[in-house]
Amino acid sequence: MDVDNDHIIEAQYCLPHTKSIKLYNTPCGAVSIDFKRMRVYGKSLRVRRLDDGKTEWTWYCTLRNKWNKYGDKDSKGNPSPVKSSDIERKFQSNPSSSFTFNIGSDTIEIKFREMRQVSKKKKRKVTRRPLYRKLQTGAGVSQVVSALKNVSVGTKPQWQFEGKSGSWHNFKSRSGTKTECSVTSDDIETKYQQNPQNSMVFQVKGDSYSLDFRAMTQTNLKTKHIRKVRRVLV
């Protein structure tokens, strides 16, 4: 049974840091889809994503608490020793195997079953997500259990940042206060819609921050302190 608004689910699934999405007003109440296990948290419901054969899959690994795409240049502008498409080609040939490449004298192995990048010195998490594109009706995520028929989700995006205590706060201008911010949640959403893989710069109390849409983090450009951000539908 197809899920309504599956393009919203697809957009979130394409982001490497997104672990789940919450759907409201379903016959089962509010439910959360676990993207890693493709199941609904706390319920005996399975989920699957229908593929039209045109999906471009992208591979990422964690580095300094951020998801980095294989094939992108590093901070010094050096090219990556391996492309995401190379990894995907090997994965398609045998999802239970691994992909090996070298960085200098170090041998790196990506173990598909564990979704880990392993070297002699370190292990890193790896994930595989589709590259987002506007989908045709019915070509996104589908639910094989009819209980989720006519699912609806919140439609207004709200951008939030994580506070010191782990609580989440909405982006607001707070004009005239000590924490005055140069952008609102709507401003961020406008930039996000232009390019979900991009970033933007804003100011709070005179300090400049970079908001990375792909990593879903905000970084103080002076202190380099990083906070998590998220986009929720309300």
Side-chain angles (χ1 to χ4, degrees), residues 25-110:
N25 302 323
T26 78
C28 299
V31 298
S32 294
I33 296 176
D34 179 346
F35 285 144
K36 183 177 181 179
R37 298 171 60 236
M38 280 299 182
R39 299 188 69 91
V40 174
Y41 287 113
K43 299 181 185 294
S44 299
L45 301 175
R46 298 185 64 184
V47 178
R48 67 172 179 171
R49 175 186 180 275
L50 296 183
D51 196 324
D52 60 3
K54 299 179 181 179
T55 300
E56 180 180 342
W57 290 94
T58 307
W59 287 78
Y60 303 85
C61 74
T62 52
L63 179 63
R64 301 184 187 92
N65 297 318
K66 293 176 61 176
W67 287 103
N68 292 267
K69 178 184 174 182
Y70 287 98
D72 283 354
K73 293 181 179 180
D74 63 20
S75 59
K76 297 181 180 179
N78 298 318
S80 170
V82 61
K83 296 180 180 179
S84 188
S85 57
D86 297 331
I87 303 171
E88 178 63 18
R89 192 176 301 111
K90 182 62 181 292
F91 178 81
Q92 289 289 346
S93 67
N94 187 353
S96 297
S97 64
S98 63
F99 181 89
T100 303
F101 61 99
N102 295 312
I103 299 179
S105 59
D106 294 331
T107 298
I108 313 295
E109 182 182 12
I110 299 174

Side-chain angles (χ1 to χ4, degrees), residues 193-216:
Q193 290 294 336
Q194 292 172 358
N195 187 350
Q197 304 296 316
N198 210 342
S199 62
M200 65 178 292
V201 175
F202 64 97
Q203 287 76 40
V204 177
K205 296 188 297 184
D207 289 339
S208 294
Y209 292 80
S210 175
L211 197 161
D212 188 329
F213 294 137
R214 192 169 66 182
M216 290 302 272

Side-chain angles (χ1 to χ4, degrees), residues 7 51 72 113 118 128 144 161 168 175 196 213-214 226:
H7 63 284
D51 196 324
D72 283 354
R113 297 188 70 174
V118 181
R128 171 182 181 259
V144 297
F161 63 91
W168 291 91
S175 180
F213 294 137
R214 192 169 66 182
I226 298 174

Side-chain angles (χ1 to χ4, degrees), residues 14-16 67-68 86 99-100 102 107 112 114 116 125 142-143 160 164 169 172 180 185 206 216 224:
C14 289
L15 300 172
W67 287 103
N68 292 267
D86 297 331
F99 181 89
T100 303
N102 295 312
T107 298
F112 296 143
E114 299 177 20
R116 288 285 189 274
K125 293 180 180 179
S142 290
Q143 172 64 43
Q160 301 175 331
K164 293 181 180 179
H169 307 278
K172 298 179 181 179
E180 183 171 347
S185 177
M216 290 302 272
K224 304 304 180 184

Side-chain angles (χ1 to χ4, degrees), residues 7-35:
H7 63 284
I8 298 175
I9 305 174
E10 176 73 2
Q12 292 298 302
Y13 180 58
C14 289
L15 300 172
H17 60 273
T18 305
K19 298 179 180 179
S20 63
I21 186 172
K22 192 167 188 177
L23 309 179
Y24 297 88
N25 302 323
T26 78
C28 299
V31 298
S32 294
I33 296 176
D34 179 346
F35 285 144

